[in-house]
Amino acid sequence: MWHKKLATRKAAQAAGSVPLASHGGALETTNEDDEYDLRVRRAEMLNTQQDYRQAAKALQRAIELNSTRPEAYLELASSHELSGDLHSAITACSEAFERAQQASPAWIKAASKAVTLGMIDRSEAKSSGPVTHVSWPTWLSHSDALSDIGDAIVAARPDDADGWAVKGFAEHRRYHSSLGHNLAHDVEAEERMDSDNSASRAMVLTSRAKTRCFRNGLEFLRKAAKLAKSDTQQLLYTGLVEGFEER
């Protein structure tokens, strides 16, 4: 499973972590922002040590100190992801996304991470049996919103794989959605439907639109794989391309 592989990689990076108080110990700080930062850093260390429960506790305390900042939610998403709870990880990403400034590093990370986790979650669910219904955040559930987010990320970081992955997932969702009427309406701006045969014409245009969504999704995910900055990221996006092609 993906989260087990990721946990192994995270553990291998633990050597550079910042030493902090032991589990449950008090943190010496000068103000709430300092304590917030220290608790997030402590959680990062605990995650590399695969102590996800204690990491989550440290992050909940940080959130109690300041619930308007995105950093603790982002690290909490990592805790959930590494422990295999992808649904909770997606929720934490959404909390971070809603608190981060648009196009900021935290905003981009939250959006791309949520999308990546969503694609992994769906892929694993399909391979293991019936897909369990999960209530996803509104912005993650609608292809148009995702497409706008992907465009914003690409505009800020055109050579970053994350934005292209988000755009690819947006097309993926659009392709698999039951938006036949809307897709036909979108294409209608480009090609007028014959009034005497509008029903059959709409079906043709809908089919063309879905084909375009499919091709765009593959193109964007392939670009994400090409721009990936690590072997892990490249393998992930390549796997998502293969999964998309199988559908």
Side-chain angles (χ1 to χ4, degrees), residues 192-227:
R192 293 181 177 273
M193 292 191 292
D194 297 330
S195 58
D196 60 341
N197 193 21
S198 59
S200 60
R201 184 64 172 162
M203 291 179 64
V204 171
L205 294 180
T206 297
S207 177
R208 291 178 182 175
K210 289 179 73 68
T211 299
R212 185 161 59 246
C213 289
F214 181 82
R215 290 175 176 171
N216 287 344
L218 278 177
E219 178 186 348
F220 295 150
L221 287 174
R222 284 170 177 157
K223 187 155 189 173
K226 185 176 181 179
L227 292 172

Side-chain angles (χ1 to χ4, degrees), residues 24 100 119 169 187 191 229:
M119 296 187 81
F169 188 57
V187 181
E191 300 183 41
K229 294 181 174 61

Side-chain angles (χ1 to χ4, degrees), residues 42-53:
R42 175 188 177 188
E44 292 175 356
M45 179 186 70
L46 291 169
N47 276 335
T48 62
Q49 296 173 347
Q50 301 183 34
D51 194 345
Y52 311 127
R53 180 176 296 182

Side-chain angles (χ1 to χ4, degrees), residues 58-99:
L59 292 166
Q60 289 296 345
R61 175 55 181 153
I63 291 170
E64 290 172 4
L65 289 168
N66 189 339
S67 62
T68 66
R69 291 179 57 176
E71 295 89 350
Y73 286 103
L74 275 173
E75 194 60 32
L76 183 60
S78 293
S79 297
H80 290 313
E81 176 191 6
L82 291 167
S83 65
D85 187 353
L86 299 186
H87 299 167
S88 294
I90 291 170
T91 299
C93 283
S94 180
E95 296 286 354
F97 176 82
E98 291 171 358
R99 288 162 173 77

Side-chain angles (χ1 to χ4, degrees), residues 70-141:
E71 295 89 350
Y73 286 103
L74 275 173
E75 194 60 32
L76 183 60
S78 293
S79 297
H80 290 313
E81 176 191 6
L82 291 167
S83 65
D85 187 353
L86 299 186
H87 299 167
S88 294
I90 291 170
T91 299
C93 283
S94 180
E95 296 286 354
F97 176 82
E98 291 171 358
R99 288 162 173 77
Q101 182 178 357
Q102 183 170 337
S104 67
W107 188 84
I108 292 174
K109 183 177 181 180
S112 59
K113 191 177 184 69
V115 166
T116 300
L117 292 173
M119 296 187 81
I120 294 172
D121 182 45
R122 284 175 173 248
S123 177
E124 291 188 350
K126 285 181 178 292
S127 65
S128 61
V131 179
T132 302
H133 174 73
V134 179
S135 179
W136 281 11
T138 301
W139 64 269
L140 190 58
S141 302

